[in-house]
Amino acid sequence: MFLDSDLLMSALRALTPILLAALGGAICERAGVFNIGLEGMMLLGCFTAVATSWFTGSPWLGVLSAALAAAAYSLVLAVGAVTLKGDAVVLGIAMNLLAVGLTSFLLRTVFGVQGTFSDPALNGLPLIGGLSPLAYLSWVAVGVAALLLSRHVWGLRLRGVGESPDAAATLGVSPAKYQYGAVLSSGVLCGLAGAQLALGNVTLFTENMTAGRGWIAVVAVLLGRALPVGVLLAALLFGLAEAVGFRLQGVGLPQQATDAAPYVVTLGALFLSTARRRRRTPSSSGAVS
Amino acid sequence: MTITRISGALRSPVTASVLAGLLVGALFLLGTGADPLTAYDAVLTGALGTDGIGATLTTGTSVLGMALALAVPLRAGLINLGGDGQLVLGGITAAATALYSPLPAPLTVVLALLAGMAAGAGYAVLAALCENRFGVPLLVSSLLLSYPAVSLASYLARYPLKEPGSSLPQTRAFPDGVALPAFGDSTVTVGLVLVVLAAAAYWFTDRWTAFGYEIRMTGLNSRFSVYAGVERAGLTLKLMSVSGALAGLVGAVGVLSFPYRFVDGSLTAPGYTWTGLTAALLAGAAPVGTLIASFFFAVLQVGGLAMERTTEVPRELTQVLQAIVIVFLAARLRFPRTLLKKKGAV
């Protein structure tokens, strides 16, 4: 049987980091900050998680420090894009590059190795029912984010800030405060995503180990229209594509074909969703709204 | 006049960002216990000394080529993130042409260069069509398309075109004479001349032609340019085809230089696409600035190795330095991008 529980489990494992990062991206998007630095924040989280777990022996401290480090890193985006009103896209690209350089640099200065650090003494996260605790946390996070955004006054204000910062400011809501909050939460979520990748899915750190997952998360935000549940479905699609690809490798498909599968599937889904939206609003005159 | 220009350049955000980057780099160096002055001196002498200048110009060829590829659309406010895909498709297409062309060697080289450019251009146009026809933002479509292209090239190099009996993921070596002529016994090839010519053509177009003016106007204010009659979709298509052709050229030049074959990963691993993007961003996509910034980053990249030898500080530090310069710069930068404004993206 092809669609068995193993496949589902491996899809769930693959989707967790994407989901956590994409939730962060969605919150930023709602607050009006386009965050394409997810990849870099996640990568920094991977390294911090591994380094802390190795030095303290505790994967939990690894998770905590990954969240804190990525949140601190996300301040670069908050200060640059919100306070200084710089270009968020360029800043995000630069942050991704910086994270690749920084983690490779630290890998060599801290551990004295190049490429990959893995050690039997490195503690990964315990598994509950085959999944790391962060996987369950990510589902809870979807629910919490959905409730906050749709029901709570914070979510209303956050959306208000994203849709019309001036109107929000007139009503006494500080746009900068909400945007800082959104960017910092995306940092925390990306840090958790990184910890899951480095201590949950595997137990090691490899240079550039996020390998485009942060970008997939950016796409998941677009695909899920920045709605928590939409983002969950988009991440599930990616997780399934990765799991099915991995399974097909077992029946002799070359690895290169299965490596490309998640990106192709994501792109295809993006086509379908934008094409459908366009048919509904034919007057959109080329704009992507 | 000159004095005001010089003081203007000194006060520009670019200078400030580069200085800030060097300062943060110095802090890193101090943190690892190295002397920043010794390290920076090693970078400069390593990259510009007689031993290093050849490597700097070779690296510079690829960096400048990719920087131009990304600068051309960036001038109109479009970001092409699919450089890696266009680069490797150009490389593998040129390699296949070089291996199977029945023409004499010199013609084969020309054909391989053209085939590489065509492959890169065709793939970049695909990303442009994704934006024009389906409304997938260029930033996203170009990046997502890049991954399957890299996988495809990797597959071709590892299976159909693989060198028999070799354990390395590489194609067979090209026939004798199918190579770009090199200067003396250096690794610098005619490829450098080609990308410098491309830079000159870009400068000319940008400075003296109506098309160049249209591009700049779109970059400065895309809403206004639409009022003024610039057709957005067509412009995207044209700029992306030029961009892809340049990336394809870099790939073709890469395989037609030592070791005269396509080695899986050798085009993408040095990160020319990202270094090129960084250079183009630093220069605001201006032609002369892009040339200078590319050279600056090639010096950093090659000099990093020398710094590693002298001070034992990992060469990855120079990558950190590059990114920090752009982080500082981006905080002051404002690019109009109507298609990617917040409501546009979602």
Side-chain angles (χ1 to χ4, degrees), chain A:
Chain A
M1 181 57 196
F2 195 80
L3 274 170
D4 51 19
S5 62
D6 274 0
L7 189 84
L8 187 67
M9 288 305 268
S10 82
L12 288 178
R13 269 193 294 274
L15 86 79
T16 307
I18 312 280
L19 177 59
L20 286 166
L23 265 184
I27 293 170
C28 284
E29 188 65 49
R30 282 307 185 83
V33 182
F34 187 48
N35 185 351
I36 59 169
L38 301 176
E39 173 100 358
M41 296 180 190
M42 203 166 96
L43 187 59
L44 202 74
C46 290
F47 182 83
T48 316
V50 165
T52 312
S53 172
W54 195 75
F55 282 114
T56 64
S58 157
W60 299 108
L61 284 176
V63 172
L64 185 70
S65 63
L68 289 176
Y73 191 51
S74 74
L75 273 176
V76 175
L77 179 67
V79 172
V82 178
T83 305
L84 300 174
K85 307 232 182 302
D87 190 306
V89 173
V90 174
L91 202 52
I93 292 174
M95 286 174 72
N96 291 338
L97 287 175
L98 181 58
V100 175
L102 203 59
T103 50
S104 308
F105 175 78
L106 289 172
L107 183 65
R108 289 192 58 190
T109 41
V110 175
F111 294 109
V113 294
Q114 217 169 343
T116 303
F117 174 78
S118 66
D119 193 278
L122 178 63
N123 290 319
L125 288 165
L127 298 183
I128 306 166
L131 294 171
S132 99
L134 288 178
Y136 300 102
L137 181 71
S138 71
W139 305 338
V140 175
V142 172
V144 172
L147 277 179
L148 279 182
L149 281 174
S150 64
R151 297 260 184 273
H152 200 277
V153 60
W154 290 345
L156 281 170
R157 286 181 185 161
L158 188 89
R159 279 156 48 200
V161 164
E163 270 153 36
S164 171
D166 294 339
T170 319
L171 294 175
V173 176
S174 155
K177 220 161 83 188
Y178 276 86
Q179 289 177 329
Y180 263 71
V183 173
L184 278 172
S185 347
S186 78
V188 169
L189 287 163
C190 286
L192 296 178
Q196 161 68 17
L197 207 56
L199 297 177
N201 289 7
V202 288
T203 312
L204 53 85
F205 179 83
T206 306
E207 276 178 34
N208 205 6
M209 72 185 295
T210 41
R213 286 184 181 81
W215 291 103
I216 291 277
V218 171
V219 179
V221 175
L222 302 184
L223 204 58
R225 301 172 86 183
L227 296 166
V229 177
V231 160
L232 172 67
L233 293 175
L236 183 65
L237 181 74
F238 174 84
L240 274 175
E242 197 173 280
V244 169
F246 195 66
R247 176 68 60 90
L248 286 175
Q249 222 174 292
V251 292
L253 217 67
Q255 192 203 336
Q256 285 78 19
T258 57
D259 278 352
Y263 302 98
V264 177
V265 169
T266 312
L267 197 61
L270 207 51
F271 278 151
L272 291 179
S273 80
T274 47
R276 224 189 51 215
R277 235 178 294 161
R278 281 194 148 193
R279 224 174 298 134
R280 238 183 288 146
T281 50
S283 61
S284 64
S285 72
V288 204
S289 52

